[in-house]
């Protein structure tokens, strides 16, 4: 995530199901995501607790969405979160981020 804008947002952490390969959790060799903050959704996938159903809110999200938000496990967040940013890898705007901010936060 792009830190400055994201610190006033947090919308994606309170909207999407945040799923990832189970081996990213720290009860697997080399995993870093705290396993106690995850739940299984299939034999090979887990998600962050709080994001499997609506209304979603990741258990690791701190603060108030749209005002001041932060990830309490930022260095240990899953790849799904690392890959979702204000910008795409090629520098273009991430349309899903923009749509979410427009719909939920009006900015
Ligand atoms: S929706 Fe976009 S701006 Fe908001 S926290 Fe997620 S990546 Fe950052
Ligand atoms: S792990 Fe952190 S960055 Fe990922 S959804 Fe949860 S609060 Fe957001």
């Amino acid at each position: 995530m792009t830190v400055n804008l994201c610190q006033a947002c947090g919308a994606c952490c309170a909207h999407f199901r945040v799923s990832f390969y189970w081996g990213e959790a720290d009860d697997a060799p080399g995993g870093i995501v705290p396993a106690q903050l995850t739940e299984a959704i299939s034999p090979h996938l887990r998600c962050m607790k709080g994001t499997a159903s609506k209304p979603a809110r990741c258990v690791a999200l701190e603060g108030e969405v749209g005002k001041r938000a932060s990830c309490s496990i930022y260095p240990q967040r899953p790849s799904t979160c690392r890959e979702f940013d204000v910008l795409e890898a090629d520098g273009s705007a991430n349309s899903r981020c923009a749509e979410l901010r427009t719909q939920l936060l009006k900015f």
Side-chain angles (χ1 to χ4, degrees):
M1 296 197 292
T2 302
V3 172
N4 289 343
L5 184 55
C6 296
Q7 283 179 341
C9 183
C12 54
C13 311
H15 184 74
F16 296 119
R17 186 179 74 176
V18 181
S19 56
F20 47 91
Y21 179 60
W22 73 274
E24 292 191 38
D26 67 3
D27 56 350
I32 59 169
V33 183
Q36 73 273 18
L37 302 184
T38 75
E39 61 182 280
I41 54 175
S42 78
H44 300 293
L45 285 177
R46 290 190 187 178
C47 71
M48 293 302 298
K49 280 184 179 173
T51 71
S53 58
K54 301 288 185 189
R57 183 182 166 111
C58 177
V59 69
L61 181 64
E62 293 183 335
E64 186 176 350
V65 173
K67 295 201 168 154
R68 186 173 181 83
S70 62
C71 174
S72 63
I73 59 161
Y74 193 76
Q76 297 165 275
R77 68 200 188 286
S79 60
T80 317
C81 309
R82 295 172 191 275
E83 290 161 8
F84 194 90
D85 202 339
V86 176
L87 300 177
E88 301 284 7
D90 65 2
S92 63
N94 176 351
S95 59
R96 291 175 300 157
C97 162
E99 282 168 20
L100 204 51
R101 284 185 284 117
T102 301
Q103 285 173 12
L104 299 184
L105 306 176
K106 315 295 184 210
F107 71 81

